[in-house]
Amino acid sequence: MRNFEDFVNFLNDSPFKKAINFFLDRKIDFYIVGGALRDFLIGRSEIKDLDILILVEPENIVRDFSNKIGAFYILLDEREKEWRLIIDKTFTIDIKKIKKNIHNDLLERDFTINSLAFKYEDKSLVDITGGLVDIKSKIVKAVKTENLLKDPLRMLRAFRFMATLDYEIDEVTLNFIRENSDKIIQSAKERINKEIFLIFSEGKNIHKTILKIKETGLLFILIPELKSMEGCYQIYKNKSLDVLLHTLNCVYYLEKFYKNYKKTFFKVYEKFLKEVLYPENKVLLFLSIIFHDVGKPLTRTQEGERTKFIGHDKIGSEIAYRWAKDMRFSEKFSKKLRNMVYFHMYPHLLGREKQITRRAIYRYLKKVEDLWFLIIVHAYADFRATPPGKDPSYLKNLLKNIYDFKLESEKEKLKPLINGYDLIDLGLKPGPIFKVILNEVEELRAEGILKTKEEALMYVKENYID
């Protein structure tokens, strides 16, 4: 673990030095508190945010600093009188006034790992809650459990630290969350959204964290639709599995994929793997996994020893879309989540065809568009979590076929054989039928049946006019 002498050196070589010099010149006592201090001590390299507590009203200080340095500033919380300075468009400093004294303020914070304070001027550490010990022990512990109810989002934040820092939550804190999980709905959806995003985009131990969230009941408060998946059994050849357990197993295998993708058949598709690593796409994949079977309890039927879930993909996709919108995800993201769930069975069905035709590949790419690779990764995690889950060669074969098709198409950069004006010249009136005809022509072209414009026009004439 780094020491505080290193922290001073880091500050002196960072854009934050401008603010530190400003405070020193004005002889303003200040303390650096919270996440930046914790992250530096555990070895994180990128620190772009500082939290600072001062003994005077911050408004004039912020304005003077902005005028001198040229930083932007905004009022974050009028009641708490918290201000944010933005330096060089990238680095932020949140500034608040100490209410009574530094000890009292630290006792009002959420977790001990965030309740350290460093006084730069005399290089001293204030640690009255044992935060340094808990950082070394990798423990998330509430400073006082009642502090969690002052801002119920802190309960979810405990799991964010569990996921992103790979820490454990101490039993007293965990039990308190279990007893008060329903209070999370008092938090703004936008703030819940941010915590969920960080869990999935930066998490190091996502599966373990999700299990703990479920154990406390918080999972069913955040996503009530998952509750009906418990006790909804799907019968496989050799065993039956609770649908929720299968879903959580999918989370496990998706996380395993992220840790070991260089050891799978995906490793040769480096160009597309980059897309999977984007934070937003990582969140999209994990959420689509969590929602992919949410429609099964509503569609379950049983014939002898077989269970069927006809239409669960469509119903589940609408549930996922509504949840994402309610949780303040963007329209674009919500639609992507809906499509990921709606098409999650597509690679399984297409990959198991005896012969994967070029026309079928064209249809797949046309329908799923830029999600095509993510959906195959989704299918891979889904397959691994489905007994026996040992031979995903059909997905490997499907991926190669699609990759070869795309490579060939990109080389040719083909324009459509015909367009709407050609159909008008044939005597057809513009309407929905145009899209049907043009898609059909391109599918036949992908199959190699139509190769020239003349052949395409003759096909339309024979099948839609004569």
Side-chain angles (χ1 to χ4, degrees), residues 16-31:
F16 298 124
K17 181 63 174 174
K18 299 174 184 178
I20 289 169
N21 287 338
F22 179 82
F23 289 128
L24 293 175
D25 291 342
R26 294 291 186 92
K27 294 183 171 29
I28 299 169
D29 283 337
F30 69 95
Y31 295 86

Side-chain angles (χ1 to χ4, degrees), residues 75 87 95 97 110 147 172 197 275 303-304 336 406 441:
L75 177 62
I87 304 172
I95 303 176
K97 182 185 176 183
D110 52 5
N147 286 2
V172 173
F197 193 95
E275 297 177 13
E303 295 179 8
K336 283 186 176 181
K406 284 183 70 65
V441 166

Side-chain angles (χ1 to χ4, degrees), residues 66-169:
S66 177
N67 290 334
K68 183 176 181 179
I69 306 300
F72 295 99
Y73 63 89
I74 55 174
L75 177 62
L76 286 181
D77 190 323
E78 187 171 0
R79 185 173 63 86
E80 293 290 330
K81 295 182 179 179
E82 182 176 4
W83 294 77
R84 172 168 293 173
L85 283 165
I86 304 169
I87 304 172
D88 298 340
K89 298 181 180 180
T90 304
F91 298 87
T92 65
I93 302 176
D94 292 350
I95 303 176
K96 286 175 62 175
K97 182 185 176 183
I98 295 174
K99 292 179 181 179
K100 295 181 181 178
N101 56 62
I102 188 62
H103 285 200
N104 184 76
D105 276 46
L106 294 179
L107 289 173
E108 295 301 312
R109 296 184 72 81
D110 52 5
F111 305 106
T112 58
I113 59 173
N114 296 330
S115 63
L116 299 174
F118 182 70
K119 194 171 184 182
Y120 178 91
E121 190 171 7
D122 54 16
K123 313 301 184 285
S124 62
L125 177 71
V126 182
D127 178 14
I128 60 172
T129 66
L132 200 56
V133 171
D134 288 337
I135 289 174
K136 291 178 180 178
S137 303
K138 298 187 174 183
I139 295 292
V140 181
K141 181 192 299 181
V143 173
K144 293 183 289 187
T145 52
E146 58 264 32
N147 286 2
L148 301 183
L149 293 186
K150 293 176 182 177
D151 180 3
L153 188 76
R154 290 172 169 178
M155 294 189 290
L156 183 56
R157 191 176 296 148
F159 293 106
R160 189 242 291 181
F161 291 132
M162 180 182 180
T164 59
L165 302 179
D166 198 14
Y167 280 20
E168 296 290 340
I169 302 174

Side-chain angles (χ1 to χ4, degrees), residues 91-352:
F91 298 87
T92 65
I93 302 176
D94 292 350
I95 303 176
K96 286 175 62 175
K97 182 185 176 183
I98 295 174
K99 292 179 181 179
K100 295 181 181 178
N101 56 62
I102 188 62
H103 285 200
N104 184 76
D105 276 46
L106 294 179
L107 289 173
E108 295 301 312
R109 296 184 72 81
D110 52 5
F111 305 106
T112 58
I113 59 173
N114 296 330
S115 63
L116 299 174
F118 182 70
K119 194 171 184 182
Y120 178 91
E121 190 171 7
D122 54 16
K123 313 301 184 285
S124 62
L125 177 71
V126 182
D127 178 14
I128 60 172
T129 66
L132 200 56
V133 171
D134 288 337
I135 289 174
K136 291 178 180 178
S137 303
K138 298 187 174 183
I139 295 292
V140 181
K141 181 192 299 181
V143 173
K144 293 183 289 187
T145 52
E146 58 264 32
N147 286 2
L148 301 183
L149 293 186
K150 293 176 182 177
D151 180 3
L153 188 76
R154 290 172 169 178
M155 294 189 290
L156 183 56
R157 191 176 296 148
F159 293 106
R160 189 242 291 181
F161 291 132
M162 180 182 180
T164 59
L165 302 179
D166 198 14
Y167 280 20
E168 296 290 340
I169 302 174
D170 91 299
E171 281 302 314
V172 173
T173 302
L174 202 61
N175 287 334
F176 187 84
I177 294 172
R178 187 179 291 112
E179 293 166 4
N180 295 277
S181 59
D182 60 315
K183 305 293 192 307
I184 192 68
I185 59 175
Q186 297 172 12
S187 304
K189 299 288 180 61
E190 291 83 358
R191 298 179 69 214
I192 295 174
N193 176 311
K194 182 180 178 182
E195 296 299 328
I196 290 172
F197 193 95
L198 289 171
I199 286 171
F200 291 123
S201 63
E202 299 182 9
K204 298 177 181 178
N205 207 334
I206 294 172
H207 176 252
K208 183 178 178 181
T209 301
I210 295 298
L211 290 181
K212 281 291 181 184
I213 295 175
K214 173 183 174 290
E215 180 188 313
T216 63
L218 198 60
L219 182 65
F220 300 128
I221 303 296
L222 294 171
I223 312 176
E225 295 85 355
L226 298 183
K227 186 65 179 174
S228 61
M229 294 164 64
E230 270 194 319
C232 176
Y233 283 90
Q234 179 164 356
I235 301 172
Y236 299 95
K237 288 182 179 179
N238 301 319
K239 63 190 299 186
S240 62
L241 269 185
D242 181 293
V243 174
L244 183 60
L245 179 58
H246 164 71
T247 296
L248 296 174
N249 288 343
C250 288
V251 172
Y252 169 81
Y253 281 106
L254 180 58
E255 183 170 40
K256 192 172 182 179
F257 165 83
Y258 271 102
K259 292 177 179 178
N260 300 293
Y261 62 85
K262 291 182 180 178
K263 297 179 181 179
T264 71
F265 59 80
F266 289 91
K267 64 184 178 182
V268 297
Y269 304 101
E270 189 175 345
K271 174 183 176 182
F272 303 110
L273 277 170
K274 290 178 182 178
E275 297 177 13
V276 179
L277 301 177
Y278 293 150
E280 184 171 296
N281 285 344
K282 193 174 179 184
V283 177
L284 182 64
L285 263 168
F286 274 102
L287 285 177
S288 69
I289 281 288
I290 286 172
F291 278 98
H292 80 286
D293 280 348
V294 75
K296 281 188 172 178
L298 299 172
T299 57
R300 186 183 188 278
T301 58
Q302 187 165 342
E303 295 179 8
E305 294 186 354
R306 293 188 61 193
T307 45
K308 293 185 177 181
F309 305 92
I310 298 171
H312 80 277
D313 42 7
K314 182 178 180 181
I315 290 174
S317 69
E318 291 305 318
I319 292 172
Y321 173 78
R322 289 195 300 269
W323 178 87
K325 289 293 291 179
D326 181 59
M327 206 52 73
R328 306 298 189 266
F329 283 91
S330 69
E331 177 70 11
K332 182 179 179 182
F333 182 93
S334 302
K335 284 183 176 179
K336 283 186 176 181
L337 180 59
R338 177 173 64 191
N339 288 339
M340 287 285 294
V341 176
Y342 185 76
F343 291 116
H344 79 270
M345 293 296 296
Y346 210 147
H348 299 301
L349 300 173
L350 181 57
R352 287 181 171 130

